[in-house]
Amino acid sequence: MEDTMNYDAIIIGSGAGGLTAAVALAQAGKKVIVLEQHDRPGGWTHSFTLEGYRFSPGVHYIGSLEEGGGLRRIYDGLGVSQDLTFCELNPDGYDHVVIGDQRVDFPKGKENLIERLKSHFPHEAKGIDSYFADLTNMMESLSNIGKLSDPLKAVTSAPSILKWMRATGADLINAHVSDPVLRGVLAAQSGDHGMPPSKVSAFVHAGITHHYFNGGYYPLGGAFALPRAFVRALKKSGGEIRLQCRVKRILVEGKKGYRRGIGQRRRDPLGCCNFQCGP
């Protein structure tokens, strides 16, 4: 058991979200520690070696890395881009969807994807256009709703958000197309969020599709290149990470946390946790 009072922030878990938060806080001048129960960092972005081969179970492609892309801006802003190299997947088909004897390759570029789908499903051309128009409008509305510097955009974004707020991915697809094979094709990227279209939020479904509009990329060296770059940035900014360090409990009292030390009890406004390092 160790004293956690010396840290401004304690991050539990070194997945993509945990490491992103840790690096951002450390770069803002906070004293940060990341606690990871596994023997390697990364969460779903980790890699492991078996019989001489390296496996990356969670990451098989990443989108939004084009110039100006959302994820590209995050990597640039956190200062990890210089330690990452990405290989672009086939721009004519970064995803291959096979349903029965029908195969549809997803190309880079929204308009290219729309035309590809229309070539396979010409009878659904109108629905394909309206589906992608709604999908794009949903994501733009989400982006605009938080822009306090432009309240007009925030207000005009509300109707689209309210329209689909309680809808599922299946609702979004079925509202525009009726061909069962095309419905399956439009739902094929569900593996990226891990839920069936009937259970996932329409916004999560739309976000995944939108994320890959400009193609797919894979990190050179495998998925482990991601946590390696983030851990390097964390340490460079004075942050710490401890592996095989399982958090046993988080103590909260009166909306404030405290940790129970040896022979004392000290209040801590961060909340905090008892943790133990080692197997």
Side-chain angles (χ1 to χ4, degrees):
M1 192 176 296
E2 302 185 26
D3 190 351
T4 60
M5 297 290 287
N6 297 323
Y7 298 98
D8 297 311
I10 299 170
I11 310 296
I12 303 173
S14 66
L19 286 177
T20 299
V23 171
L25 287 167
Q27 290 178 349
K30 303 298 182 181
K31 188 171 183 182
V32 180
I33 186 170
V34 179
L35 307 176
E36 171 58 57
Q37 66 176 339
H38 199 4
D39 63 2
R40 66 203 66 194
W44 72 280
T45 66
H46 86 281
S47 298
F48 65 92
T49 301
L50 182 64
E51 296 182 359
Y53 294 93
R54 177 174 288 178
F55 296 88
S56 299
V59 176
H60 61 287
Y61 63 165
I62 301 172
S64 196
L65 287 175
E66 74 282 359
E67 191 69 38
L71 193 56
R72 173 77 172 268
R73 294 199 305 272
I74 291 174
Y75 288 161
D76 288 345
L78 292 174
V80 299
S81 294
Q82 66 269 23
D83 292 321
L84 291 170
T85 301
F86 290 93
C87 304
E88 183 174 5
L89 305 184
N90 184 359
D92 192 50
Y94 63 85
D95 249 338
H96 309 303
V97 180
V98 179
I99 300 178
D101 59 356
Q102 181 90 304
R103 169 173 164 163
V104 181
D105 293 341
F106 280 26
K108 175 181 179 179
K110 182 179 75 170
E111 296 306 321
N112 293 333
L113 176 57
I114 290 172
E115 291 308 311
R116 180 70 54 84
L117 291 172
K118 287 181 179 179
S119 71
H120 286 274
F121 305 95
H123 54 290
E124 289 278 18
K126 184 176 179 181
I128 291 169
D129 282 335
S130 61
Y131 169 79
F132 282 97
D134 256 357
L135 186 151
T136 302
N137 186 43
M138 288 167 65
M139 300 316 298
E140 289 178 351
S141 295
L142 273 183
S143 176
N144 290 332
I145 199 73
K147 291 182 178 178
L148 299 179
S149 60
D150 194 339
L152 181 60
K153 274 191 175 181
V155 171
T156 55
S157 296
S160 178
I161 292 175
L162 292 173
K163 177 181 178 180
W164 297 105
M165 184 172 60
R166 297 182 180 275
T168 66
D171 292 333
L172 176 60
I173 294 171
N174 297 344
H176 296 282
V177 302
S178 57
D179 187 299
V181 177
L182 177 55
R183 285 179 172 179
V185 170
L186 295 177
Q189 291 176 319
S190 294
D192 294 324
H193 55 65
M195 296 184 71
S198 61
K199 293 186 178 181
V200 73
S201 159
F203 284 96
V204 172
H205 169 82
I208 289 293
T209 303
H210 190 272
H211 179 73
Y212 293 106
F213 273 164
N214 288 296
Y217 300 79
Y218 192 75
L220 185 67
F224 184 68
L226 296 168
R228 182 175 57 194
F230 274 79
V231 169
R232 187 175 296 165
L234 175 65
K235 292 181 177 179
K236 184 178 179 180
S237 297
E240 298 178 51
I241 181 168
R242 298 189 190 180
L243 304 177
Q244 294 183 290
C245 201
R246 181 174 178 268
V247 173
K248 300 171 69 175
R249 55 183 172 169
I250 300 173
L251 306 178
V252 178
E253 183 179 88
K255 297 185 179 181
K256 290 185 178 181
Y258 66 85
R259 70 170 294 278
R260 186 173 286 122
I262 300 175
Q264 60 182 341
R265 185 161 117 181
R266 298 161 66 182
R267 293 187 180 277
D268 177 4
L270 288 173
C272 223
C273 51
N274 298 130
F275 61 91
Q276 183 172 7
C277 297

